[in-house]
Amino acid sequence: MVHSGHITIINKARKLGRVIIGVLSDEAVCSYKRFPLLPYEERKALFENIAGVYQVVCQNTLSYRNNLEQYKPDYVVHGDDWRTGFQKPIRDEVLEVLAGYGGQLVEFPYSNSEKYRELESRTRYQLSLPDMRRSRLKKSIEMKGLVTAIEAHSGITGLIAEKTVVYQNGEARQFDAMWVSSLCDSTAKGKPDIELVDMTSRFRTIDDIMEVTTKPIIFDGDTGGLTEHFVYTVKTLERMGVSMIIIEDKTGLKKNSLFGTEVAQTQDTIENFCHKIAMGKKAQKTRDFMIVARIESLILEQGMEDALTRAFAYVKAGADGVMIHSRKKDPAEIFEFVEKFRVEDKTTPIVVVPTSFNAVTEEEFKQRGVNVVIYANQLTRSGFPAMQETARTILEHHRAKEADDKCMPIKDIITLIPEEV
């Protein structure tokens, strides 16, 4: 957002000399705050047309070092809000670079009036609208190269996915999207993960999450069902503002992939699954919605060549991405698939769900050519043991006092829940 606070600080800076504005790249904005409502080129153009601005340059990271060493300004002008908090390391770096050549940091009081908080609230509202939410995932992948999602199966888990932030090295690390898993949705309802929970119920879960959040949603579509039904699922999800559906190339009664060949699982034919993808793409109305094909060949021990053959066929049929899955703790076969796929296809997004091969970092996935990392069930798996232990503690002690240390204060929970979105 560009508001009067920015104009005020630019006017103050003009009194010191020619003003160069460092505009954060879209990726840098995502790492600092949230998805930018205006892309970099538009924000750059806005500042270029403000009276008194001499030059506008790109700042690709939150660090100022590269621009300071290139332009060596006599003064760096900034609000004083970074004296404390997670941006302090960036401020310390600026002071270090300035000291190296004799530059000076000039800080003005940070603008924190009610009208700016109202602008922030309005921004949240815009980000929650279906069209805005739907389009952000594809744009985020283009901006960042790799995005992360964590499962959400209710309004409160959606809020955890939305609001959890870790500050490291001057950056705000947070999840880019939410994964609405059929496993976690079914488990939350106390039902088996066999596509027993119908789409109407699952759409209500999405509604619950969307009411209190703004981040993009990736929907676990299981097999997609009958092609005729899948078409309507695509239309509904797209209309709701969901960004992506992932469907797996299996048929029959669903069995969780992590069982592999321990249970009977049947893979669909390439021809049938390609037809399902093509019909889904034909049904959608916007370019933003993404259909991703989940390949079960490695899970079902059909081999790497089968996985790659299917991947290229699915992309040719219209899939916007491919998800490769494995239940091995060693990520070697995942890495092999990604490497061989990237030889032929440099651009189609690759999705992974590192539930088993969970030692691989996001940075390594990105370097190898992966675009989406989904943490598919960690909130559910961590939540149930905690609730079980709390219930057991109360039964053992015939009172709740001993369970208090395991419980989040009600006040903190209320603070997490917004009064309005």
Side-chain angles (χ1 to χ4, degrees):
M1 293 180 294
V2 179
H3 52 64
S4 59
H6 297 111
I7 306 302
T8 298
I9 202 167
I10 288 170
N11 287 334
K12 290 178 179 178
R14 287 174 61 188
K15 297 176 182 177
L16 300 172
R18 294 186 302 186
V19 177
I20 298 177
I21 304 287
V23 176
L24 290 174
S25 67
D26 292 331
E27 182 176 354
V29 173
C30 287
S31 71
Y32 163 57
K33 209 165 193 179
R34 51 165 152 62
F35 183 89
L37 284 175
L38 289 178
Y40 167 78
E41 291 297 336
E42 291 189 37
R43 290 182 285 116
K44 179 174 181 285
L46 280 173
F47 282 109
E48 286 174 335
N49 285 282
I50 293 175
V53 173
Y54 169 71
Q55 188 178 357
V56 178
V57 298
C58 183
Q59 187 164 313
N60 288 309
T61 68
L62 293 180
S63 169
Y64 289 67
R65 180 180 292 277
N66 289 343
N67 278 343
L68 295 187
E69 290 178 346
Q70 179 175 351
Y71 298 103
K72 288 187 167 54
D74 297 302
Y75 303 99
V76 169
V77 178
H78 200 283
D80 62 1
D81 56 314
W82 64 347
R83 287 176 174 266
T84 59
F86 79 98
Q87 288 194 84
K88 187 177 183 299
I90 296 177
R91 179 180 185 270
D92 292 342
E93 182 184 60
V94 167
L95 289 170
E96 174 198 332
V97 176
L98 289 176
Y101 66 84
Q104 181 180 341
L105 175 62
V106 177
E107 295 172 313
F108 293 110
Y110 180 69
S111 302
N112 194 27
S113 71
E114 182 62 32
K115 62 183 178 181
Y116 301 140
R117 285 192 288 273
E118 288 177 7
L119 281 173
E120 185 71 24
S121 177
R122 196 180 309 161
T123 298
R124 272 186 55 81
Y125 172 73
Q126 286 181 279
L127 290 174
S128 70
L129 294 175
D131 286 347
M132 177 67 75
R133 192 195 297 249
R134 185 196 314 111
S135 65
R136 279 163 54 203
L137 185 64
K138 182 178 282 189
K139 291 176 182 176
S140 293
I141 293 171
E142 293 169 356
M143 287 178 191
K144 300 177 66 176
L146 181 135
V147 299
T148 61
I150 191 167
E151 66 104 340
H153 55 266
S154 62
I156 194 67
T157 53
L159 283 169
I160 291 171
E162 175 98 357
K163 293 193 171 188
T164 302
V165 182
V166 172
Y167 299 105
Q168 293 178 329
N169 304 317
E171 291 187 357
R173 297 183 63 85
Q174 53 190 305
F175 297 106
D176 301 287
M178 295 170 285
W179 165 249
V180 180
S181 156
S182 64
L183 166 64
C184 298
D185 201 1
S186 299
T187 302
K189 293 174 171 62
K191 295 180 178 179
D193 182 30
I194 55 173
E195 297 186 80
L196 181 62
V197 178
D198 64 22
M199 282 297 173
T200 302
S201 177
R202 297 201 59 204
F203 294 159
R204 283 201 298 270
T205 300
I206 294 175
D207 269 334
D208 289 342
I209 294 170
M210 283 185 160
E211 278 186 337
V212 294
T213 65
T214 67
K215 290 186 176 179
I217 287 178
I218 303 172
F219 185 76
D220 178 5
D222 289 325
T223 65
L226 296 173
T227 299
E228 294 82 358
H229 296 176
F230 178 59
V231 165
Y232 283 95
T233 299
V234 167
K235 290 180 178 179
T236 301
L237 292 174
E238 185 182 29
R239 187 170 62 248
M240 293 175 76
V242 170
S243 299
M244 176 189 289
I245 184 172
I246 299 180
I247 55 171
E248 59 192 78
D249 57 357
K250 290 192 299 194
T251 60
L253 182 66
K254 180 191 172 180
K255 301 288 185 180
N256 191 281
S257 292
L258 295 181
F259 286 114
T261 56
E262 295 171 17
V263 297
Q265 301 192 67
T266 306
Q267 203 166 11
D268 202 353
T269 66
I270 294 176
E271 182 182 8
N272 285 346
F273 200 68
C274 283
H275 176 65
K276 184 180 290 186
I277 292 167
M279 294 304 292
K281 292 304 295 180
K282 185 178 179 180
Q284 72 181 71
K285 304 299 182 186
T286 70
R287 295 181 180 180
D288 302 323
F289 188 76
M290 304 175 73
I291 298 176
V292 170
R294 170 172 159 174
I295 301 161
E296 295 289 283
S297 300
L298 302 183
I299 291 284
L300 301 177
E301 299 179 3
Q302 296 302 303
M304 186 62 63
E305 288 308 310
D306 184 75
L308 288 165
T309 298
R310 287 174 175 273
F312 295 129
Y314 298 160
V315 172
K316 187 176 180 180
D320 299 288
V322 294
M323 174 183 153
I324 187 63
H325 207 21
S326 170
R327 64 189 184 118
K328 294 181 180 179
K329 292 186 177 181
D330 183 346
E333 64 179 6
I334 292 292
F335 292 163
E336 182 184 351
F337 174 91
V338 173
E339 181 180 357
K340 289 182 175 179
F341 183 83
R342 284 288 178 239
V343 170
E344 302 292 332
D345 188 326
K346 308 291 186 190
T347 59
T348 299
I350 298 176
V351 182
V352 296
V353 179
T355 303
S356 298
F357 45 98
N358 54 20
V360 185
T361 65
E362 294 160 12
E363 289 74 16
E364 184 174 1
F365 278 130
K366 183 176 181 179
Q367 289 170 4
R368 290 179 178 273
V370 171
N371 305 102
V372 182
V373 174
I374 298 175
Y375 300 100
N377 48 42
Q378 280 76 7
L379 293 186
T380 291
R381 287 165 52 210
S382 60
F384 279 92
M387 289 189 283
Q388 277 187 327
E389 180 59 25
T390 298
R392 188 178 295 116
T393 299
I394 292 171
L395 287 174
E396 287 174 350
H397 295 90
H398 313 280
R399 64 181 186 179
K401 183 178 185 300
E402 287 75 12
D404 267 7
D405 290 342
K406 299 177 175 63
C407 298
M408 186 179 189
I410 289 294
K411 183 179 179 181
D412 292 349
I413 295 175
I414 293 172
T415 302
L416 182 66
I417 298 172
E419 293 182 10
E420 60 181 46
V421 178

